[in-house]
Amino acid sequence: MATHRMDIRGPDDLLESGVYQDRVGNQITAAAAPSVGSQLALLLADGGTDLGWYGEFLVPKNYVGTPKIVIRGILDGAPGASDTLGFGFRKRAVANNEAADGTFDAEQAVSSTIGSSGSAHSDEDEVELSITLTAGDYAVDDSVYYYLYIDATGTSYTGNFLLTGAYFEYADA
Amino acid sequence: MAISDSDYGALRQEVFRWGAGKEELKALPSLPSETQLRAVFEALESFWETNRATLKAQMDAAAGFTLPLQLARKIGVAWLRSKMGRGG
């Protein structure tokens, strides 16, 4: 059995108002180029309400279980000692010939203390967070329509989060 | 005076831009929490709501006539930009 990570972002993602793509170097004090400053990131922040994007991905042919959503990015601003960063995921997973439209399933979320009383992340550090999903919700070849967002309830960090990756993690046979 | 989540989000986004507050925020040992930042915005909101009618009356009295509201607002914005640009 192996664990895989599949990028779930794509060109048809719909960004909510206030979410936008930017050069990392426009947001952080980047090192001399070539550096991470030349990369493109999705700028997310807790704007008092959930804020993220809508997208879609296909469950891979070799999916067996242990699904997660993995979020990677860069902090823009030093977190306070007890500051938390949280993400939420809502989705509708449907097979061929199944009704696609419908309200997304309930939120599954992660919230982590990123300041010194938790993982001790600093300004401009790389961050990884994982949302554990329900294995039975997914089947091979399902279309997963989703909403992935900074969860205002689970976030007290006020800086920007420069998202560089979002992945569907799963185990194969 | 409480502000809405959308007002908080818009203000936070505005302040977290280079040249608009980001340099100073990044220089802090840690960023203010949402509670702290929201309280600062609400203090400004309270001050403005409490004093704006008095300010308009003083501007009218100084001018010797009733300034149109939009003109008074634009003069106020120009003054604030000029004042803050001088480090005031």
Side-chain angles (χ1 to χ4, degrees), chain A residues 4-159:
Chain A
H4 304 273
R5 286 183 173 182
M6 181 185 77
D7 198 330
I8 62 170
R9 293 191 299 156
D12 56 351
D13 289 349
L14 180 65
L15 312 182
E16 287 192 291
S17 175
V19 178
Y20 59 96
Q21 291 185 317
D22 199 5
R23 273 185 72 246
V24 171
N26 288 345
Q27 297 296 330
I28 70 169
T29 312
S35 73
V36 73
S38 303
Q39 303 286 137
L40 192 64
L42 192 63
L43 195 145
L44 296 169
D46 170 15
T49 55
D50 297 343
L51 208 55
W53 78 95
Y54 291 85
E56 178 270 338
F57 65 90
L58 213 56
V59 176
K61 295 282 189 189
N62 60 349
Y63 170 81
V64 171
T66 328
K68 291 179 181 176
I69 292 295
V70 178
I71 298 113
R72 296 289 293 246
I74 300 165
L75 292 181
D76 179 19
S82 58
D83 269 356
T84 57
L85 179 64
F87 287 88
F89 182 74
R90 294 188 65 178
K91 60 92 178 64
R92 181 169 173 81
V94 291
N96 185 28
N97 263 14
E98 190 176 347
D101 186 31
T103 301
F104 287 175
D105 295 341
E107 172 186 271
Q108 293 188 285
V110 62
S111 178
S112 177
T113 302
I114 55 172
S116 57
S117 54
S119 55
H121 282 79
S122 301
D123 185 18
E124 301 183 3
D125 272 2
E126 178 85 4
V127 177
E128 174 176 314
L129 293 177
S130 295
I131 303 170
T132 300
L133 305 177
T134 305
D137 287 355
Y138 304 89
V140 169
D141 283 344
D142 275 356
S143 278
V144 180
Y145 299 98
Y146 71 86
Y147 173 43
L148 181 54
Y149 49 92
I150 280 214
D151 181 16
T153 306
T155 300
S156 61
Y157 175 65
T158 53

Side-chain angles (χ1 to χ4, degrees), chain B residues 5-46:
Chain B
D5 285 343
S6 63
D7 282 348
Y8 167 78
L11 282 165
R12 192 219 69 87
Q13 189 170 25
E14 189 65 26
V15 169
F16 270 77
R17 289 189 303 108
W18 295 114
K22 188 164 176 170
E23 296 90 331
E24 291 77 9
L25 284 161
K26 294 265 281 185
L28 294 172
S30 64
L31 295 174
S33 68
E34 180 177 338
T35 304
Q36 291 170 321
L37 200 56
R38 195 180 273 266
V40 170
F41 293 155
E42 289 177 348
L44 284 165
E45 181 81 9
S46 294

